Short mmCIF file of all heavy atoms in Angstrom, two decimals:
data_model
loop_
_atom_site.label_atom_id
_atom_site.label_comp_id
_atom_site.label_asym_id
_atom_site.label_seq_id
_atom_site.Cartn_x
_atom_site.Cartn_y
_atom_site.Cartn_z
N GLY A 144 78.99 83.19 117.53
CA GLY A 144 78.61 83.30 116.13
C GLY A 144 77.90 82.09 115.63
O GLY A 144 77.80 81.87 114.43
N GLY A 145 77.44 81.27 116.53
CA GLY A 145 76.82 80.02 116.10
C GLY A 145 75.62 80.25 115.21
O GLY A 145 75.29 79.41 114.38
N SER A 146 75.00 81.37 115.39
CA SER A 146 73.81 81.61 114.60
C SER A 146 74.14 81.74 113.13
O SER A 146 73.30 81.54 112.27
CB SER A 146 73.12 82.88 115.08
OG SER A 146 74.05 83.94 115.08
N ASP A 147 75.37 82.07 112.86
CA ASP A 147 75.77 82.20 111.47
C ASP A 147 75.91 80.85 110.80
O ASP A 147 76.03 80.76 109.59
CB ASP A 147 77.11 82.93 111.38
CG ASP A 147 76.89 84.42 111.19
OD1 ASP A 147 75.79 84.79 110.75
OD2 ASP A 147 77.79 85.17 111.49
N LEU A 148 75.94 79.85 111.61
CA LEU A 148 76.12 78.53 111.04
C LEU A 148 74.91 78.10 110.24
O LEU A 148 75.00 77.23 109.40
CB LEU A 148 76.33 77.51 112.16
CG LEU A 148 77.75 77.45 112.69
CD1 LEU A 148 77.79 76.61 113.93
CD2 LEU A 148 78.68 76.88 111.64
N GLU A 149 73.80 78.70 110.52
CA GLU A 149 72.57 78.35 109.83
C GLU A 149 72.31 76.85 109.93
O GLU A 149 71.85 76.22 109.01
CB GLU A 149 72.64 78.76 108.37
CG GLU A 149 72.98 80.20 108.17
CD GLU A 149 71.90 81.08 108.75
OE1 GLU A 149 70.81 80.60 109.02
OE2 GLU A 149 72.19 82.27 108.94
N GLY A 150 72.62 76.32 111.08
CA GLY A 150 72.30 74.93 111.31
C GLY A 150 73.34 73.98 110.75
O GLY A 150 73.15 72.77 110.76
N THR A 151 74.41 74.50 110.26
CA THR A 151 75.43 73.64 109.71
C THR A 151 76.40 73.21 110.79
O THR A 151 76.90 74.02 111.54
CB THR A 151 76.23 74.38 108.64
OG1 THR A 151 75.32 74.99 107.77
CG2 THR A 151 77.13 73.44 107.89
N SER A 152 76.66 71.96 110.87
CA SER A 152 77.71 71.51 111.76
C SER A 152 79.00 71.45 111.00
O SER A 152 79.04 71.43 109.79
CB SER A 152 77.38 70.12 112.29
OG SER A 152 77.47 69.18 111.26
N VAL A 153 80.08 71.45 111.75
CA VAL A 153 81.38 71.39 111.10
C VAL A 153 81.51 70.09 110.33
O VAL A 153 81.99 70.06 109.20
CB VAL A 153 82.49 71.52 112.14
CG1 VAL A 153 83.84 71.24 111.49
CG2 VAL A 153 82.47 72.90 112.76
N THR A 154 81.09 69.03 110.95
CA THR A 154 81.19 67.76 110.26
C THR A 154 80.33 67.77 109.03
O THR A 154 80.67 67.17 108.02
CB THR A 154 80.73 66.63 111.18
OG1 THR A 154 79.51 67.02 111.79
CG2 THR A 154 81.76 66.36 112.24
N ASP A 155 79.26 68.49 109.11
CA ASP A 155 78.38 68.61 107.96
C ASP A 155 79.12 69.27 106.82
O ASP A 155 79.05 68.84 105.68
CB ASP A 155 77.17 69.46 108.36
CG ASP A 155 76.02 69.23 107.43
OD1 ASP A 155 75.99 68.18 106.80
OD2 ASP A 155 75.16 70.13 107.37
N ALA A 156 79.82 70.33 107.15
CA ALA A 156 80.47 71.09 106.11
C ALA A 156 81.71 70.39 105.59
O ALA A 156 82.07 70.52 104.44
CB ALA A 156 80.85 72.48 106.65
N VAL A 157 82.34 69.66 106.43
CA VAL A 157 83.63 69.12 106.05
C VAL A 157 83.51 67.74 105.44
O VAL A 157 84.27 67.37 104.55
CB VAL A 157 84.53 69.05 107.30
CG1 VAL A 157 85.77 68.25 107.01
CG2 VAL A 157 84.89 70.46 107.72
N GLY A 158 82.58 66.99 105.88
CA GLY A 158 82.47 65.65 105.36
C GLY A 158 83.12 64.68 106.31
O GLY A 158 83.58 65.01 107.38
#
Side-chain angles (χ1 to χ4, degrees):
Chain A
S146 54
D147 267 340
L148 278 170
E149 306 297 344
T151 312
S152 69
V153 171
T154 47
D155 200 23
V157 169

